[in-house]
């Protein structure tokens, strides 16, 4: 038994009286059965956010008709909005380097049908996972990156991404800093897993930094990538307890478990249209 | 700066199309500014649940008028509902025995104004905390309980509770099993903190049971009291890690920290009308 | 840079004065540099437990000589003991059914060299993972299990296990109850991951049980298998928060993340000789 | 039934062969029954750390004789060491300001006899808690602090501390930066609870900083105070989950629960001689 087909409406607009009434009225008038609904108002900025999941079969119109009909209402409230269709899976390009934990975890979830996602291809600066990826029937692109060829390499990555008509790029411990151009071009569409509890230990070798400072918990952070290194909007975080007896190699090992769990949770939020970016923060409707 | 006055509407009714539209329409028509909204549908039973927090100052009518106006709408949907007013604090009778941790924690929160609650009195089967309670300006009733006098003692407790016009009884490690009569009389209004992660280790000496079984985490459970011992609807739970080196006395000590934290969280949910009991479970709108 | 070779001494014996002095004297006399040391005394039973990790290169004798020399000392204290050698990896047979999460997780860790283990083969009652397992260069045995053929099927499993000269069998969501004979034959050598926070929700469909009871956290338990279903000594447990909005399918999905994490941690403890079973409990020297 | 009297030996020294053998030999020769033992070697610096808890009644000598006898052994290994006596409780001066949560928590634990500590007095820059503290029979000193009188005020605090023959000063949300002189004078004897997960959000208003950055967990840190603000050795930390709907006032409220729990755990570690400071980090033998 598979999940029923749903449409997910997400929107933000200046906060004022009657938004929920107008939207729920609109949906009800078309027979729409809402199975999830979340609201949030950012008081400081007077912005309202909303997410509604509607059973497709309950509607007396197509998704195209729904979108067309919603347009004028959205305009009158000044909404930024979208309606996604669970029958149309997002397309996610996975970027990896040589570390196993995130790519194995993602492929396992993909194989189990656990994430609502298609993976058109995996791109790596190493050949390490070609066999594993191809065994899953997923194309694998080896795009080496050196200090010298970075611009060309990243041009190639963008070509592959665009050709694949991808919606999302996930850096599954890709270990390379993307170019500002790429960050801007795919703003809100690149997700990274950083191996520290940001904003602690920005940049390189966070586990070394954590060990030096003597913290008692280490963490990982799933965030949207912006041109500002490790400063993008945070989607999800978690931590794990360590102690004085743990070597840096232990931190790395514990950290992997947190990294892959946090990445998978953050990804799911994004894939299910649960995340709305507002300034440098996220609203996550769980 | 104190919190603004709010009215909290909670309701449940058979699920059907248009509930949210009708309610939000109703609130909007009276100028009501909603600052929190949560919905939930229990699919198996086709029951819908809703909670809305409305800014009092935004309404163009009094709370009495709001309630009167809502009545016909509620009737047409078959709703069980209530509208509470943050200006009218709930009245909570605290029952204690001889253990410090929960009563200190509750008094500290009360003293800080952290919980929206009045404490008309504390009742105990021991004199242990008379001084502390009275220092806070709260009346203290000593009602000894023995196997012989239980019916009279509980009659006295109920008299005190009713005289205090209390809304809620909290068993802050009271260590006595209430009578079925009392459980029924105050159904949904007695909250207990049980010192295990229910349904594990029901009944007496749960930390001994946990030690014997060799579990690696112990917990606590905040629940509504029913005539069935430790079987009532669960409001909140949490756990803490232990290991083989911990003696039963260590489990008791760690457990106290979880007990008071879980009780305080569960209480807050109840006091803020975030909890709706459905069959033997709770919907908790966080 | 790989980890240095180590010998790990674990022992238990009746508690008395001078055990640590005698053992540390013994190790020091042979130049042994101890990099980890843990003790525990079970007071009720007057039993002492110890684990020491010695740098192989620091010793002026071979591991065989070390064992021979330790024998008389062990005898005089009535010790049950063993000395393992990190250069000799344990051999682990993995039993799977049709669920992805544990087998992907274990293969990923094995591929990364993260667990000190060899996997001589994977056994399954389904063909689902043949391709994935064989891609890793690990033999895959399909042993179908039906109500009728169980004795023969389990005989075949034991043959494969014995032929593989395996030390350990891990049930990575194998979903079949082993025979009492197998449980006894490999006592202390079969590790299971149960999808509940034991002792809650023993037996089948624990997530359904958890959903029915309305708990606010769900968990998983890694334990040694005994003939008593879900009653064996617990090695490791963990939990994750859920709420009223989660369907059983959500619990299953969240649960998988806890299951694979708890299994991996429990396995590591076992593989590094950190676990000693005492009666129906475990001492885990972390 | 109270805990048995124990002596706790803690030591650090250059790491070399035979330390454990020598010390355990020494204890065994005097009939000493060790009920807890922990070791740690800091490999980078080649320093060894040890903690042993000995049952007082098992020894054939007094604690004074034990110390005297240990002196030559300690000298030969170049040890920094101490032997504490559980019959001699540490004396802890509590510094508070106007926030309830930590002082209520500490007084509750003290009243329950849960912490092995005497509280000779409480010092505050406000009168807020005089009544509560004095009700417990503990002297209360009001020492107002203004930008102008800081040197004199801190002189007065030091006088009170010294007169009380205190071993430890705990800043239970004291909200004042101590003078470098005081930090130095009581190095390793002042414990603070900082309301962030250090090293994130150093300095003032950490919950505002956390809200601005959009983190998904907030935390608290118990640490030794040094002249470098919020940079001292960390003893204990913990976190709690928040989300986009939480206002700064919610963070403050959640944070309090973490603060008091983390402070209590860190304090216990210190009071039971489980903490050894090494450079800017702590070894915590749990």
């Amino acid at each position: 038994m598979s999940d029923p087909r749903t449409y997910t409406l997400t929107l933000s607009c200046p906060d004022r009286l009657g938004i929920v009434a107008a939207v729920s009225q609109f949906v009800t008038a078309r027979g729409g059965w809402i199975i999830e609904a979340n609201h949030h108002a950012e008081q400081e900025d007077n912005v309202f956010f909303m997410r509604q999941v509607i059973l497709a079969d309950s509607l007396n119109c197509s998704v195209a008709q729904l979108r067309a009909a919603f347009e004028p209402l959205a305009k009158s409230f000044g909404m930024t909005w979208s309606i996604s269709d669970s029958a149309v899976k997002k397309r996610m390009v996975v970027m990896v380097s040589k570390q196993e934990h995130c790519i194995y975890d993602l492929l396992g979830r993909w194989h189990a049908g656990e994430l609502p996602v298609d993976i058109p291809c995996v791109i790596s600066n190493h050949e390490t996972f070609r066999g594993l990826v191809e065994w899953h029937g997923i194309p694998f692109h080896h795009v080496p990156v050196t200090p010298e060829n970075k611009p060309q390499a990243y041009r190639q990555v963008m070509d592959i991404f665009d050709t694949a008509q991808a919606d999302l790029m996930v850096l599954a411990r890709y270990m390379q800093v993307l170019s500002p151009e790429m960050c801007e071009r795919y703003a809100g569409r690149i997700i990274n897993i950083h191996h520290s509890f940001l904003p602690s230990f920005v940049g390189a070798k966070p586990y070394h930094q954590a060990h030096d400072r003597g913290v008692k918990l280490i963490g990982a952070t799933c965030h949207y990538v912006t041109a500002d290194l490790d400063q993008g909007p945070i989607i999800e975080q978690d931590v794990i307890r360590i102690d004085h007896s743990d070597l840096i190699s232990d931190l790395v090992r514990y950290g992997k478990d947190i990294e892959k769990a946090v990445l998978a949770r953050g990804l799911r939020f994004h894939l299910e249209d649960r995340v709305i970016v507002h300034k440098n923060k996220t609203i996550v409707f769980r």
Side-chain angles (χ1 to χ4, degrees), chain A:
Chain A
M1 194 200 74
S2 64
D3 289 338
R5 182 175 177 180
T6 54
Y7 304 138
T8 299
L9 165 66
T10 52
L11 64 86
S12 65
C13 64
D15 203 1
R16 52 172 261 205
L17 213 61
I19 305 172
V20 176
V23 173
S24 50
Q25 195 82 357
F26 171 88
V27 176
T28 301
R30 279 147 193 85
W33 191 269
I34 293 167
I35 56 170
E36 282 187 58
N38 294 94
H39 315 149
H40 174 64
E42 200 69 27
Q43 296 182 7
E44 301 152 22
D45 307 306
N46 200 47
V47 185
F48 182 78
F49 305 87
M50 192 173 186
R51 175 180 182 269
Q52 303 225 337
V53 182
I54 307 159
L55 277 182
D57 283 355
S58 68
L59 281 167
N60 56 21
C61 64
S62 71
V63 64
Q65 290 169 321
L66 189 73
R67 285 179 184 135
F70 193 70
E71 181 65 46
L73 189 153
K75 212 165 196 171
S76 74
F77 281 90
M79 291 174 179
T80 303
W81 65 284
S82 76
I83 295 176
S84 70
D85 178 353
S86 70
V88 181
K89 286 187 189 167
K90 289 197 176 58
R91 295 170 67 76
M92 174 175 83
V93 167
V94 181
M95 309 284 290
V96 289
S97 188
K98 296 202 292 193
Q99 293 205 25
E100 278 87 354
H101 54 298
C102 290
I103 184 71
Y104 265 80
D105 190 76
L106 291 177
L107 289 174
R109 291 175 196 272
W110 174 85
H111 191 265
E114 193 192 303
L115 286 173
V117 75
D118 284 330
I119 304 181
C121 64
V122 171
I123 302 175
S124 180
N125 52 343
H126 295 279
E127 284 282 1
T128 316
F129 296 114
R130 176 181 294 280
L132 180 73
V133 169
E134 291 183 347
W135 180 83
H136 283 85
I138 298 172
F140 180 91
H141 300 279
H142 179 211
V143 181
V145 177
T146 63
E148 294 75 35
N149 83 342
K150 258 198 168 173
Q152 303 95 294
Y154 285 169
R155 167 103 329 261
Q156 198 183 340
V157 167
M158 289 188 278
D159 283 350
I160 296 170
F161 185 91
D162 295 345
T163 302
Q165 299 188 298
D167 301 293
L168 176 65
M169 180 184 290
V170 59
L171 310 184
R173 297 304 308 279
Y174 179 55
M175 312 292 281
Q176 298 287 328
V177 177
L178 300 191
S179 65
E181 184 200 349
M182 211 190 299
C183 296
E184 204 161 304
R185 181 187 183 113
Y186 303 129
R189 298 164 66 195
I190 310 179
I191 288 179
N192 183 43
I193 179 71
H194 182 75
H195 43 318
S196 88
F197 183 70
L198 291 174
S200 287
F201 313 133
V202 164
K205 295 194 174 281
Y207 293 127
H208 287 73
Q209 295 182 51
H211 190 258
D212 285 353
R213 181 61 187 92
V215 292
K216 300 301 184 186
L217 302 163
I218 55 169
T221 303
C222 177
H223 65 97
Y224 290 108
V225 172
T226 61
D228 247 346
L229 187 64
D230 301 334
Q231 301 292 328
I234 293 169
I235 305 171
E236 174 67 346
Q237 301 186 289
D238 215 339
V239 294
I240 194 168
R241 190 163 289 277
I242 57 167
D243 75 15
H244 60 269
S245 69
D246 292 312
L247 306 176
I248 289 171
S249 56
D250 295 315
L251 304 198
V252 169
R253 181 164 52 77
Y254 293 143
K256 284 177 176 180
D257 288 354
I258 293 297
E259 290 164 30
K260 69 188 186 190
V262 166
L263 176 58
R265 290 208 298 267
L267 263 184
R268 164 172 296 277
F269 295 151
H270 178 93
L271 294 171
E272 296 183 347
D273 298 302
R274 296 180 179 281
V275 189
I276 304 180
V277 173
H278 175 59
K279 299 201 289 192
N280 203 42
K281 299 163 64 168
T282 60
I283 287 92
V284 180
F285 290 127
R286 306 185 78 150

